Amino acid sequence: MSLIIVSRIKPRHPPSLFIPVNIGIKTSFPSLEATAMLAATRVTITNMFLNCSWLNSSCQFSNENDQFGSYNLSSYTFYVGDIEHFTLMLDHAIITLSVGIQRNALSLNGKFLNENGQTITNLQSPNVVGQVGHYDVVELITLLNAAGIQDLDEISGSANNGNETMRYAGLILMVVLEYSNTVSFSLQNVEYTLSARIVKDTEFKAVETIYTDYPRNVTEQNRHGIRMIFLQTGALGKFDFQVLLLNCVSGLGLLAVATVIVDILMTLIMPQRKTYQGYKYQIPEFTYRGIYCLLRLVIRVI
């Protein structure tokens, strides 16, 4: 299985307390990770410099005043504006050598599920999921709503501080792509479901250190945000007579064992065991006529 994630943000007039993302700070981090990424919601940038020789073991970094817009701060924090409309394009594919099935995102039908496992049908543009000939495109707010989160300003509930919002502390979001070819009688018909689950009571941050003038000047970018982990799973199979035979034999064996256990319980342990024995074992009544007929039958056979 493979997954390619392409991300972009579409600014929509962010509020004044947010700083737009066109300041040179990467919104997504890291940029080369295959199955996970971070969409930053809060970023703290700290500029530091060495005021002594780096060969001295006691030398430590100190804060350095830096000009950022109209702010003159050594360490400044801002929120990424309109991160809810951060857009993801998912290019996913599957291949199974034993079954002989290979599909990509353009050839697969799919469904987008909410937290209750129900299909979401009222997707608004630019969101597209499960349409043949189109890559999956989802906004971050769409994934959050599918996971049961309506607003990033809801309380996070993380262990560090229960009063922090999810926008402030960050969170971990599991995005699951599940494939199956058992949706119809044709095993070549492969479909998938896309769902999102939040890892409750969690927060996430990533710290990146950038040397602007090694080794004297360093910039630390501390990003809090939504950690998205993409998981591909599912079950693809084909008919195998040997497996069918093994399952049938195993089923018959389990049926025999179950019959013996039920007989023991009914005839030896249950309170009405004598009644059960009477119905299960019927002793025939022998008469002289019956014995005579049996002897004549034996004689004829001889």
Side-chain angles (χ1 to χ4, degrees), residues 24 55 178 260 282:
L55 297 176
E178 186 172 0
V260 173
Q282 295 183 0

Side-chain angles (χ1 to χ4, degrees), residues 240-250:
D240 192 321
F241 180 77
Q242 184 177 0
V243 175
L244 175 63
L245 184 61
L246 289 174
N247 288 333
C248 291
V249 173
S250 301

